[in-house]
PDB file of all heavy atoms in Angstrom:
ATOM      1  N   GLY A  25     -17.508  29.755 -14.547  1.00  0.00           N
ATOM      2  CA  GLY A  25     -16.271  30.460 -14.905  1.00  0.00           C
ATOM      3  C   GLY A  25     -15.277  29.535 -15.585  1.00  0.00           C
ATOM      4  O   GLY A  25     -15.104  28.367 -15.186  1.00  0.00           O
ATOM      5  N   GLY A  26     -14.635  30.076 -16.618  1.00  0.00           N
ATOM      6  CA  GLY A  26     -13.683  29.279 -17.401  1.00  0.00           C
ATOM      7  C   GLY A  26     -12.300  29.911 -17.433  1.00  0.00           C
ATOM      8  O   GLY A  26     -11.613  29.871 -18.442  1.00  0.00           O
ATOM      9  N   ALA A  29      -9.085  29.014 -12.593  1.00  0.00           N
ATOM     10  CA  ALA A  29      -9.768  28.320 -11.490  1.00  0.00           C
ATOM     11  C   ALA A  29     -10.832  27.364 -12.029  1.00  0.00           C
ATOM     12  O   ALA A  29     -10.926  26.213 -11.592  1.00  0.00           O
ATOM     13  CB  ALA A  29     -10.390  29.340 -10.542  1.00  0.00           C
ATOM     14  N   SER A  52     -18.258  32.874 -20.153  1.00  0.00           N
ATOM     15  CA  SER A  52     -18.719  33.884 -21.094  1.00  0.00           C
ATOM     16  C   SER A  52     -17.544  34.447 -21.884  1.00  0.00           C
ATOM     17  O   SER A  52     -16.632  35.045 -21.299  1.00  0.00           O
ATOM     18  CB  SER A  52     -19.414  35.002 -20.303  1.00  0.00           C
ATOM     19  OG  SER A  52     -19.419  36.179 -21.052  1.00  0.00           O
ATOM     20  N   GLY A  56     -14.834  37.210 -20.679  1.00  0.00           N
ATOM     21  CA  GLY A  56     -13.422  36.797 -20.753  1.00  0.00           C
ATOM     22  C   GLY A  56     -12.843  36.474 -19.388  1.00  0.00           C
ATOM     23  O   GLY A  56     -13.563  36.439 -18.381  1.00  0.00           O
ATOM     24  N   ILE A  58      -9.330  36.944 -16.516  1.00  0.00           N
ATOM     25  CA  ILE A  58      -8.452  38.019 -16.046  1.00  0.00           C
ATOM     26  C   ILE A  58      -7.157  38.089 -16.867  1.00  0.00           C
ATOM     27  O   ILE A  58      -6.553  39.151 -17.006  1.00  0.00           O
ATOM     28  CB  ILE A  58      -8.175  37.878 -14.534  1.00  0.00           C
ATOM     29  CG1 ILE A  58      -7.500  39.135 -14.006  1.00  0.00           C
ATOM     30  CG2 ILE A  58      -7.321  36.666 -14.225  1.00  0.00           C
ATOM     31  CD1 ILE A  58      -7.841  39.511 -12.623  1.00  0.00           C
ATOM     32  N   VAL A  60      -4.097  37.151 -16.442  1.00  0.00           N
ATOM     33  CA  VAL A  60      -2.764  37.169 -15.822  1.00  0.00           C
ATOM     34  C   VAL A  60      -2.677  35.933 -14.921  1.00  0.00           C
ATOM     35  O   VAL A  60      -3.635  35.182 -14.809  1.00  0.00           O
ATOM     36  CB  VAL A  60      -2.526  38.453 -14.980  1.00  0.00           C
ATOM     37  CG1 VAL A  60      -2.163  39.629 -15.845  1.00  0.00           C
ATOM     38  CG2 VAL A  60      -3.732  38.763 -14.105  1.00  0.00           C
ATOM     39  N   GLY A  61      -1.516  35.718 -14.305  1.00  0.00           N
ATOM     40  CA  GLY A  61      -1.363  34.551 -13.417  1.00  0.00           C
ATOM     41  C   GLY A  61      -0.506  33.518 -14.094  1.00  0.00           C
ATOM     42  O   GLY A  61      -0.989  32.472 -14.530  1.00  0.00           O
ATOM     43  N   ALA A  63       3.018  32.720 -13.016  1.00  0.00           N
ATOM     44  CA  ALA A  63       4.106  32.108 -12.245  1.00  0.00           C
ATOM     45  C   ALA A  63       3.515  31.204 -11.170  1.00  0.00           C
ATOM     46  O   ALA A  63       2.508  31.541 -10.554  1.00  0.00           O
ATOM     47  CB  ALA A  63       4.954  33.197 -11.593  1.00  0.00           C
ATOM     48  N   ILE A 199     -24.287  34.617 -17.746  1.00  0.00           N
ATOM     49  CA  ILE A 199     -25.332  34.342 -16.746  1.00  0.00           C
ATOM     50  C   ILE A 199     -26.004  35.660 -16.386  1.00  0.00           C
ATOM     51  O   ILE A 199     -25.339  36.612 -15.967  1.00  0.00           O
ATOM     52  CB  ILE A 199     -24.716  33.685 -15.487  1.00  0.00           C
ATOM     53  CG1 ILE A 199     -24.076  32.355 -15.860  1.00  0.00           C
ATOM     54  CG2 ILE A 199     -25.763  33.505 -14.398  1.00  0.00           C
ATOM     55  CD1 ILE A 199     -23.049  31.854 -14.863  1.00  0.00           C
ATOM     56  N   ARG A 233     -15.636  39.198  -8.936  1.00  0.00           N
ATOM     57  CA  ARG A 233     -17.017  39.597  -8.609  1.00  0.00           C
ATOM     58  C   ARG A 233     -17.716  38.600  -7.692  1.00  0.00           C
ATOM     59  O   ARG A 233     -18.597  38.975  -6.931  1.00  0.00           O
ATOM     60  CB  ARG A 233     -17.816  39.778  -9.891  1.00  0.00           C
ATOM     61  CG  ARG A 233     -17.905  38.500 -10.714  1.00  0.00           C
ATOM     62  CD  ARG A 233     -18.502  38.747 -12.069  1.00  0.00           C
ATOM     63  NE  ARG A 233     -19.800  39.402 -11.935  1.00  0.00           N
ATOM     64  CZ  ARG A 233     -20.665  39.507 -12.920  1.00  0.00           C
ATOM     65  NH1 ARG A 233     -20.389  39.009 -14.106  1.00  0.00           N
ATOM     66  NH2 ARG A 233     -21.809  40.107 -12.732  1.00  0.00           N
ATOM     67  N   LEU A 346     -10.244  33.564  -7.669  1.00  0.00           N
ATOM     68  CA  LEU A 346     -10.379  34.975  -7.282  1.00  0.00           C
ATOM     69  C   LEU A 346     -11.706  35.249  -6.588  1.00  0.00           C
ATOM     70  O   LEU A 346     -11.824  36.204  -5.828  1.00  0.00           O
ATOM     71  CB  LEU A 346     -10.225  35.864  -8.523  1.00  0.00           C
ATOM     72  CG  LEU A 346      -8.862  35.768  -9.233  1.00  0.00           C
ATOM     73  CD1 LEU A 346      -8.867  36.575 -10.524  1.00  0.00           C
ATOM     74  CD2 LEU A 346      -7.744  36.236  -8.307  1.00  0.00           C
ATOM     75  N   SER A 358      -1.539  32.362  -5.769  1.00  0.00           N
ATOM     76  CA  SER A 358      -2.970  32.272  -6.117  1.00  0.00           C
ATOM     77  C   SER A 358      -3.348  30.946  -6.772  1.00  0.00           C
ATOM     78  O   SER A 358      -4.362  30.340  -6.414  1.00  0.00           O
ATOM     79  CB  SER A 358      -3.371  33.402  -7.057  1.00  0.00           C
ATOM     80  OG  SER A 358      -3.492  34.586  -6.340  1.00  0.00           O
ATOM     81  N   ILE A 359      -2.547  30.510  -7.736  1.00  0.00           N
ATOM     82  CA  ILE A 359      -2.889  29.249  -8.396  1.00  0.00           C
ATOM     83  C   ILE A 359      -2.769  28.108  -7.387  1.00  0.00           C
ATOM     84  O   ILE A 359      -3.556  27.166  -7.380  1.00  0.00           O
ATOM     85  CB  ILE A 359      -2.018  29.031  -9.654  1.00  0.00           C
ATOM     86  CG1 ILE A 359      -2.367  30.128 -10.685  1.00  0.00           C
ATOM     87  CG2 ILE A 359      -2.222  27.648 -10.252  1.00  0.00           C
ATOM     88  CD1 ILE A 359      -1.497  30.141 -11.933  1.00  0.00           C
TER      89      ILE A 359
HETATM   90  C1  FAD B 619      -2.213  41.340 -11.421  1.00  0.00           C
HETATM   91  C2  FAD B 619      -2.331  39.883 -11.115  1.00  0.00           C
HETATM   92  C3  FAD B 619      -1.234  39.044 -11.315  1.00  0.00           C
HETATM   93  C4  FAD B 619      -1.335  37.681 -10.998  1.00  0.00           C
HETATM   94  N1  FAD B 619      -0.242  36.878 -11.113  1.00  0.00           N
HETATM   95  C5  FAD B 619      -0.307  35.600 -10.648  1.00  0.00           C
HETATM   96  C6  FAD B 619       0.817  34.740 -10.682  1.00  0.00           C
HETATM   97  O1  FAD B 619       1.883  35.091 -11.177  1.00  0.00           O
HETATM   98  N2  FAD B 619       0.688  33.502 -10.169  1.00  0.00           N
HETATM   99  C7  FAD B 619      -0.484  33.048  -9.628  1.00  0.00           C
HETATM  100  O2  FAD B 619      -0.543  31.932  -9.121  1.00  0.00           O
HETATM  101  N3  FAD B 619      -1.585  33.824  -9.673  1.00  0.00           N
HETATM  102  C8  FAD B 619      -1.524  35.072 -10.140  1.00  0.00           C
HETATM  103  N4  FAD B 619      -2.643  35.851 -10.148  1.00  0.00           N
HETATM  104  C9  FAD B 619      -3.925  35.254  -9.799  1.00  0.00           C
HETATM  105  C10 FAD B 619      -4.466  34.487 -11.017  1.00  0.00           C
HETATM  106  O3  FAD B 619      -4.572  35.372 -12.111  1.00  0.00           O
HETATM  107  C11 FAD B 619      -5.822  33.880 -10.703  1.00  0.00           C
HETATM  108  O4  FAD B 619      -5.750  33.163  -9.504  1.00  0.00           O
HETATM  109  C12 FAD B 619      -6.235  32.931 -11.790  1.00  0.00           C
HETATM  110  O5  FAD B 619      -6.135  33.525 -13.051  1.00  0.00           O
HETATM  111  C13 FAD B 619      -7.648  32.454 -11.573  1.00  0.00           C
HETATM  112  O6  FAD B 619      -8.602  33.404 -11.937  1.00  0.00           O
HETATM  113  P1  FAD B 619     -10.134  32.954 -11.908  1.00  0.00           P
HETATM  114  O7  FAD B 619     -10.284  31.760 -12.779  1.00  0.00           O
HETATM  115  O8  FAD B 619     -10.534  32.835 -10.480  1.00  0.00           O
HETATM  116  O9  FAD B 619     -10.896  34.212 -12.510  1.00  0.00           O
HETATM  117  P2  FAD B 619     -11.025  34.762 -14.020  1.00  0.00           P
HETATM  118  O10 FAD B 619      -9.838  34.480 -14.839  1.00  0.00           O
HETATM  119  O11 FAD B 619     -11.450  36.190 -13.870  1.00  0.00           O
HETATM  120  O12 FAD B 619     -12.234  33.932 -14.634  1.00  0.00           O
HETATM  121  C14 FAD B 619     -13.587  34.236 -14.342  1.00  0.00           C
HETATM  122  C15 FAD B 619     -14.478  33.447 -15.272  1.00  0.00           C
HETATM  123  O13 FAD B 619     -15.836  33.652 -14.897  1.00  0.00           O
HETATM  124  C16 FAD B 619     -16.596  33.936 -16.042  1.00  0.00           C
HETATM  125  N5  FAD B 619     -17.760  34.754 -15.667  1.00  0.00           N
HETATM  126  C17 FAD B 619     -17.806  35.809 -14.819  1.00  0.00           C
HETATM  127  N6  FAD B 619     -19.073  36.310 -14.777  1.00  0.00           N
HETATM  128  C18 FAD B 619     -19.825  35.539 -15.602  1.00  0.00           C
HETATM  129  C19 FAD B 619     -21.175  35.556 -16.008  1.00  0.00           C
HETATM  130  N7  FAD B 619     -22.055  36.487 -15.567  1.00  0.00           N
HETATM  131  N8  FAD B 619     -21.605  34.624 -16.881  1.00  0.00           N
HETATM  132  C20 FAD B 619     -20.754  33.669 -17.357  1.00  0.00           C
HETATM  133  N9  FAD B 619     -19.453  33.610 -17.023  1.00  0.00           N
HETATM  134  C21 FAD B 619     -18.995  34.537 -16.158  1.00  0.00           C
HETATM  135  C22 FAD B 619     -15.627  34.673 -16.963  1.00  0.00           C
HETATM  136  O14 FAD B 619     -16.040  34.647 -18.282  1.00  0.00           O
HETATM  137  C23 FAD B 619     -14.354  33.849 -16.733  1.00  0.00           C
HETATM  138  O15 FAD B 619     -14.389  32.706 -17.556  1.00  0.00           O
HETATM  139  C24 FAD B 619      -2.566  37.181 -10.510  1.00  0.00           C
HETATM  140  C25 FAD B 619      -3.669  38.023 -10.371  1.00  0.00           C
HETATM  141  C26 FAD B 619      -3.555  39.365 -10.648  1.00  0.00           C
HETATM  142  C27 FAD B 619      -4.750  40.249 -10.462  1.00  0.00           C
END
Side-chain angles (χ1 to χ4, degrees):
S52 158
I58 191 146
V60 280
I199 298 160
R233 61 189 305 194
L346 298 174
S358 284
I359 295 174

